[in-house]
Amino acid sequence: MDLQKFIERATPTRILGVKVTQGDKEIASHLWDEECRRNIYSASKSFTSAAVGIAVKEGLLSPDEKLTDAFAQDIPEEPGAYLQQAVVRDLLTMCMGQETSELMGAQRPLYEQEDWVKMSLSFPFTCEPGSKFVYSNVGPYLAGMLVQRRAGCDLVSYLTPRLFAPLGIRRPTWETDPLGFTFGAGGLFLTLSELHKLGLLYLQKGSWNGKQILTEEWVMESTSVQVSTGREEDYGYGYLFWGGPHGSFRADGKYVQTSIILRDKDAVISTVAECRNSKPLMDAVFEELYTQL
């Protein structure tokens, strides 16, 4: 793969690294900076989606559980009708019934409450679950919390033997809430190569070196369109994965931390960057790299 045109277009966007694998072979990579662990921001959500999938496989929870059952001790005294309807799956599709974005990066340091589960469930449920896509950190945070409670350990400890270690990822750092629980909506620190492995795992339908880490069914559900975002420029949303051009799905974090699964090309393209405008970089990925696959 010839990277020259991509490098010319990508360099001004403040990209830090790119890696391309097709089939079982890495066919291109380029670093603009050393490959250290960086905050992958909301690409962390896709690891939480994987954690939920593993927990489902282990019988710890069900996507169809009602939130009023899953978080019985944290529900407001008089839950509204929409909260009573919401289920765990709604946490993964950004359609839980709340119409405000909460637990976002600039908000987290300012909350006075320390119990973010109770706080998250006290935010108003103002529309029918499943009816409206609202990008918020509440859903993935609660999904990660449910896994932690059912497993009896933090998300890093849960995923280390089940996901990280099999993929060759040494125990990583992950942001926590004020009570010390893993913040499943963001704040996971990984290298480009480690983030890339998540895309490869999903390209391989949950299998890694002969071991089925995730069920094929969960992988395909997670990286299929489950809901429309309501925006023309988007391609739909799965279970904490974004849809994209050519039937692609990706883990996607702020400033273009991505691992893009391209099933039509049997390929994964991953990036880390400090890019404040994602469009020029994503255009370069699909126009200069995808077209060579």
Side-chain angles (χ1 to χ4, degrees), residues 12-165:
T13 72
R14 297 174 69 184
I15 190 172
L16 298 174
V18 65
K19 190 177 287 282
V20 185
T21 297
Q22 188 167 38
D24 57 1
K25 184 179 179 184
E26 183 180 308
I27 61 171
S29 65
H30 188 82
L31 294 175
W32 286 255
D33 194 7
E34 62 185 356
E35 189 177 351
C36 60
R37 279 185 167 171
R38 293 183 168 88
N39 191 346
I40 63 167
Y41 296 99
S42 285
S44 312
K45 292 176 172 65
S46 299
F47 285 85
T48 296
S49 177
V52 173
I54 294 170
V56 169
K57 183 175 78 165
E58 293 181 346
L60 297 180
L61 58 89
S62 164
D64 299 314
E65 280 185 68
K66 291 197 169 184
L67 298 191
T68 49
D69 294 330
F71 297 98
Q73 69 271 39
D74 305 294
I75 299 293
E77 283 188 16
E78 295 183 10
Y82 293 138
L83 171 51
Q84 292 183 56
Q85 293 173 27
V87 298
V88 170
R89 182 178 281 102
D90 298 321
L91 304 176
L92 305 175
T93 60
M94 301 286 180
C95 292
M96 62 185 292
Q98 296 179 347
E99 293 185 90
T100 58
S101 298
E102 297 286 352
L103 297 179
M104 308 307 282
Q107 296 171 325
R108 294 201 289 281
L110 305 179
Y111 293 119
E112 293 184 3
Q113 300 94 321
E114 290 198 337
D115 188 333
W116 284 2
V117 174
K118 275 184 163 52
M119 181 180 73
S120 294
L121 292 163
S122 72
F123 296 135
F125 284 71
T126 52
C127 60
E128 185 177 351
S131 68
K132 186 174 183 180
F133 179 92
V134 178
Y135 191 81
S136 171
N137 280 341
V138 169
Y141 167 68
L142 290 175
M145 281 300 304
L146 184 57
V147 174
Q148 291 174 82
R149 287 181 173 184
R150 296 283 171 84
C153 63
D154 66 79
L155 215 50
V156 178
S157 297
Y158 182 69
L159 285 178
T160 292
R162 295 167 173 84
L163 179 70
F164 295 139

